[in-house]
Amino acid sequence: MAQLAIPAQPANATPGARADSVIVVTPNFTATQFVATTARIELGLSRPPAAAEGTIAVMLGTADLTALFERGGNRLIYRSEVVPLPSGESDVSVYLVTEEAWTELGRFPLRVLTPHGFTRAAVTPSLSTNNSGQLADGSTGGAPPTAGPSFGDVQLTLGVRTSHVRDGWALETQVNGLGATDRRQALRFGERGATAPLLDLSDYVVTLARGPAKLSLGNTTLGSNRYLMNSFGSRGVTLTLGVPVASLSVGVLGGSAIVGYDDLLGFTRQSHRVAGGSLAFELRPKRPGALHLDLTLVNGSLLPQTSFTQSALTDAEQSTGAGLQFAASTPTQRIRVAGGLAMSRFVNPSDSLLSRGATTVAVVAARKTARYLETTVGVLQNAKIRGNLTASLTASWRHEHVDPLYRSVSASARPDILLNAFDANGNIGALGIQASHTRSNDNLDGITSILQTLSRATMAQAALPLAALLGVKAPGAFWPTLSYAFSQSHQYGAGVPVNSSFTAADVPDQVGTVHSANAEWQSQRWRASYRFNHSFQDNRQPGHQQSDFAATTHTAGFGLTATRSLDLGLDLSTEQQHNLERDEWRTLNRIGVNANWRPREGTALAGNFSATRADDSPRTQQSDNFEARLELSQSVALVRMRPKLRGQLFVRFARQSATTIQFLNPDPLLGTARRAD
């Protein structure tokens, strides 16, 4: 390693300086400033070291640059016009070196601009490919033949992310594309069929920011009002301005999800776009969340078309709305309140594509409202019960009311609903408890000819680690964690609608109850679990009281880390289903075995096997299913100098078989039983 030796007494040495005094290093740059790659770097020494003290070494990051520094009196000078400074942030470290040790004299952060003057510049490409080709396949029995092996089905995902910062401005971009050799797997095959591009633009975004302002163009989101515009996402442009006291967000976006390069802006069609904005205030900026208000305005118009992932018959829609939300909390967060009120005017404008020249009745615009209120109170906070035993309890209440026919084109709000929910969660020592009760109904206008549905749901669960309960300091694997959950839901009609063809037997009235229990053991090398689940569906409709259904499931699992490179697992389950109306039982038993072996880094051999048998009582049929899978994978570095650029090679083998034996309606060729493979 090169070192720069400085004479003990240079010509300009300070008279009377003591060789054993501390050497102070002073740079000509500060930790907050950026310098150019050709900037002159100087390090001033309070005195040069004596010959017996050692020599000076200078490091930039992990590189030794001592040989590139020139001595000028008590100064060390790096002339970067010969070898430019590396861009980025690194430390300049100065050491006093002897044969025994390196003693650090100073460490100074150095921030260097890029060659084009950016304080930060980065371009990060990404590429991943997948070939779903197969070597061979086959089938037996009644399984339909396949099209045969194929090797050309390649899927490609590529992207580029850039980041540039200069003079307080920050520019970031992200572009992602998807490609496929099989057009049926193309991004827009569902929309354009045989004309879908094989390589297409998935999404992009360009963001320009300076201080509290940020401008985004491309795939972005807008809005935080749950009833008007709640993280509505599409292609468009958004602008955000924010200071501690207030923030403003405005934007214009396309009316539905957009992919491809045909419509890069997304918001140019006036009849298919959404415009909105929100103004938020923090009335106590020193304590965010103490009292927060936000006002949202939305105006949107949608054409009768869906996003590229959907297919549906739709109608043109327009809505204009305004909403106010608030949130408040005490300094300790023990009491929190949030609420909001929104009003939306919605209409289906005349659409020639649907009317096709026919005379239609115009839809009357509906102005509807929606509201919510949520409160949370910390009833107990680590309250002492006895000794070290403490308890905590938090209770909350949620209220929601959405008018019938309420609709906003930029939010998914369920209309015609009244909901009240009560929640509680807490703990007593190591015992954790949660409970909730929800009550809701529709048909808020009370129209007698329309069925009104009422829903009631109750849930409770508890979890207890036995080791913590018993105060075991070294629990080991013997003490399991126990948990239990109960849920019950009741959905029923308020009555028989008048002037309808409904009868009492047509009005729903069902109660569903579920009990589940779980025990888990965990150690460093092995793990085990047992789960129990019982569900019962009680039908209470007149004439259908016996149409009930029950199911019970037992599941056990065991896992073992045999060595650092070998994991084994075993799963067992049995399920019984009982149709009470027909007095039929169906039993399903399953066993599964899995293993994962990693003989060396980047190499993995994984396999699993499962066998399932299903039969019923009375004995009408029996089904057996077997499945085996084996996969060998190897990770490889595509470029030796860039280990992060890697590929994955794998070989998979899979075999599935199914056998069904019919004990009724015998096949004359097979006798009393019919078998299908």
Side-chain angles (χ1 to χ4, degrees):
M1 181 174 293
Q3 297 176 359
L4 178 62
I6 298 183
Q9 294 296 332
N12 60 348
T14 304
R18 294 180 53 191
D20 59 349
S21 61
V22 177
I23 300 176
V24 179
V25 183
T26 305
N28 71 334
F29 56 88
T30 65
T32 57
Q33 73 177 120
F34 278 87
V35 301
T37 57
T38 57
R40 179 184 174 123
I41 300 299
E42 296 185 8
L43 300 172
L45 305 177
S46 61
R47 68 171 181 85
E53 292 181 281
T55 57
I56 294 293
V58 183
M59 304 286 292
L60 179 59
T62 58
D64 187 354
L65 301 186
T66 307
L68 300 179
F69 276 85
E70 298 179 358
R71 176 176 60 84
N74 283 7
R75 294 179 303 164
L76 303 177
I77 304 170
Y78 182 86
R79 300 190 184 279
S80 53
E81 62 270 14
V82 179
V83 180
L85 294 168
S87 300
E89 300 184 13
S90 54
D91 288 340
V92 176
S93 306
V94 183
Y95 294 90
L96 181 62
V97 181
T98 65
E99 294 182 357
E100 291 78 16
W102 285 48
T103 304
E104 185 176 295
L105 301 179
R107 182 179 294 268
F108 313 100
L110 176 64
R111 310 171 78 181
V112 183
L113 298 171
T114 67
H116 294 89
F118 293 101
T119 57
R120 185 176 74 246
V123 178
T124 307
S126 62
L127 173 66
S128 64
T129 62
N130 178 53
N131 189 327
S132 57
Q134 55 191 19
L135 297 176
D137 66 357
S139 60
T140 61
T146 65
S150 62
F151 303 93
D153 294 344
V154 178
Q155 296 82 42
L156 175 71
T157 303
L158 68 161
V160 178
R161 178 188 296 272
T162 68
S163 176
H164 294 82
V165 180
R166 180 175 182 175
D167 298 331
W169 292 89
L171 177 65
E172 295 185 352
T173 67
Q174 173 73 53
V175 180
N176 296 309
L178 293 175
T181 56
D182 184 353
R183 199 174 300 274
R184 293 171 298 178
Q185 299 179 2
L187 182 62
R188 286 189 285 171
F189 178 77
E191 175 185 349
R192 299 182 57 174
T195 62
L198 294 178
L199 179 61
D200 214 344
L201 176 65
S202 173
D203 61 85
Y204 82 97
V205 63
V206 180
T207 302
L208 180 64
R210 180 178 175 86
K214 183 173 73 172
L215 178 68
S216 296
L217 175 66
N219 292 78
T220 183
T221 60
L222 182 68
S224 59
N225 188 291
R226 68 170 62 181
Y227 296 126
L228 291 176
M229 177 179 278
N230 190 8
S231 297
F232 181 79
S234 185
R235 281 188 190 168
V237 58
T238 60
L239 174 65
T240 302
L241 301 171
V243 293
V245 178
S247 62
L248 173 67
S249 297
V250 295
V252 183
L253 287 78
S256 58
I258 301 173
V259 297
Y261 43 76
D262 298 339
D263 188 0
L264 290 177
L265 296 180
F267 60 88
T268 55
R269 290 181 295 174
Q270 183 177 359
S271 56
H272 192 66
R273 68 184 182 191
V274 175
S278 62
L279 182 62
F281 298 94
E282 284 288 350
L283 301 186
R284 298 192 63 182
K286 293 184 178 180
R287 188 169 68 84
L291 184 56
H292 176 90
L293 296 174
D294 69 72
L295 173 66
T296 300
L297 301 176
V298 173
N299 179 268
S301 177
L302 303 184
L303 291 174
Q305 66 183 55
T306 58
S307 65
F308 73 102
T309 59
Q310 297 174 319
S311 296
L313 293 175
T314 60
D315 196 1
E317 301 175 335
Q318 291 180 356
S319 72
T320 302
L324 178 67
Q325 294 185 148
F326 74 92
S329 64
T330 60
T332 61
Q333 300 292 310
R334 189 163 187 172
I335 300 177
R336 300 188 300 274
V337 181
L341 175 65
M343 180 179 65
S344 179
R345 181 182 182 275
F346 178 81
V347 65
N348 293 112
S350 176
D351 184 2
S352 59
L353 294 178
L354 292 180
S355 61
R356 295 185 178 274
T359 302
T360 59
V361 178
V363 177
V364 179
R367 191 184 304 273
K368 300 295 181 177
T369 62
R371 67 175 184 264
Y372 76 95
L373 182 63
E374 300 173 350
T375 62
T376 302
V377 179
V379 181
L380 297 175
Q381 291 184 341
N382 296 322
K384 289 189 176 181
I385 298 179
R386 185 179 63 181
N388 295 327
L389 185 63
T390 62
S392 297
L393 177 62
T394 300
S396 61
W397 170 64
R398 294 179 288 118
H399 168 79
E400 183 177 12
H401 182 286
V402 184
D403 283 347
L405 302 181
Y406 179 90
R407 175 83 168 99
S408 173
V409 298
S410 52
S412 299
R414 177 186 173 186
D416 195 17
I417 184 68
L418 172 63
L419 181 145
N420 287 281
F422 306 88
D423 302 275
N425 64 81
N427 69 280
I428 302 175
L431 176 64
I433 303 173
Q434 289 182 329
S436 67
H437 179 71
T438 304
R439 306 172 67 89
S440 65
N441 65 272
D442 56 11
N443 194 6
L444 302 187
D445 286 340
I447 301 175
T448 57
S449 60
I450 298 178
L451 176 66
Q452 184 180 55
T453 304
L454 295 90
S455 298
R456 306 289 185 261
T458 302
M459 184 276 296
Q461 62 182 23
L464 176 63
L466 283 183
L469 176 66
L470 301 177
V472 180
K473 296 182 179 180
F478 178 76
W479 305 104
T481 297
L482 305 178
S483 61
Y484 170 77
F486 165 82
S487 64
Q488 185 177 79
S489 62
H490 186 191
Q491 293 183 322
Y492 58 101
V496 180
V498 299
N499 298 325
S500 70
S501 59
F502 277 76
T503 65
D506 300 318
V507 178
D509 188 359
Q510 290 185 345
V511 177
T513 305
V514 178
H515 298 267
S516 60
N518 182 39
E520 293 186 354
W521 293 262
Q522 184 78 36
S523 74
Q524 293 182 351
R525 293 196 57 187
W526 63 271
R527 57 199 176 278
S529 64
Y530 167 74
R531 296 179 178 86
F532 167 82
N533 182 278
H534 177 75
S535 60
F536 183 72
Q537 181 177 304
D538 183 9
N539 196 327
R540 300 179 178 181
Q541 290 175 257
H544 300 280
Q545 291 91 338
Q546 299 301 316
S547 301
D548 300 336
F549 186 83
T552 302
T553 304
H554 301 268
T555 304
F558 180 79
L560 174 65
T561 303
T563 65
R564 291 184 178 181
S565 60
L566 179 61
D567 295 323
L568 303 174
L570 173 66
D571 296 307
L572 302 170
S573 66
T574 179
E575 179 179 358
Q576 282 191 331
Q577 302 172 353
H578 186 196
N579 186 325
L580 278 71
E581 184 177 28
R582 302 174 61 179
D583 193 23
E584 291 181 352
W585 291 84
R586 180 174 175 81
T587 304
L588 185 69
N589 296 307
R590 179 185 180 276
I591 180 172
V593 180
N594 61 82
N596 193 332
W597 181 41
R598 301 169 299 279
R600 63 178 185 175
E601 184 178 0
T603 303
L605 178 62
N608 60 74
F609 168 81
S610 65
T612 305
R613 167 166 289 186
D615 52 25
D616 58 7
S617 176
R619 193 169 176 79
T620 61
Q621 71 174 21
Q622 176 180 299
S623 299
D624 293 291
N625 291 273
F626 299 91
E627 182 176 354
R629 294 180 180 271
L630 188 66
E631 178 179 314
L632 175 64
S633 62
Q634 176 65 52
S635 176
V636 295
L638 300 181
V639 180
R640 184 180 298 274
M641 301 302 296
R642 300 189 64 181
K644 291 185 178 181
L645 187 60
R646 305 188 67 85
Q648 188 83 3
L649 303 177
F650 58 86
V651 178
R652 294 173 180 162
F653 169 80
R655 178 177 175 82
Q656 295 176 302
S657 66
T659 302
T660 301
I661 301 177
Q662 299 283 354
F663 296 101
L664 298 178
N665 302 320
D667 190 316
L669 297 179
L670 299 178
T672 59
R674 183 168 60 232
R675 180 185 182 94
D677 291 334

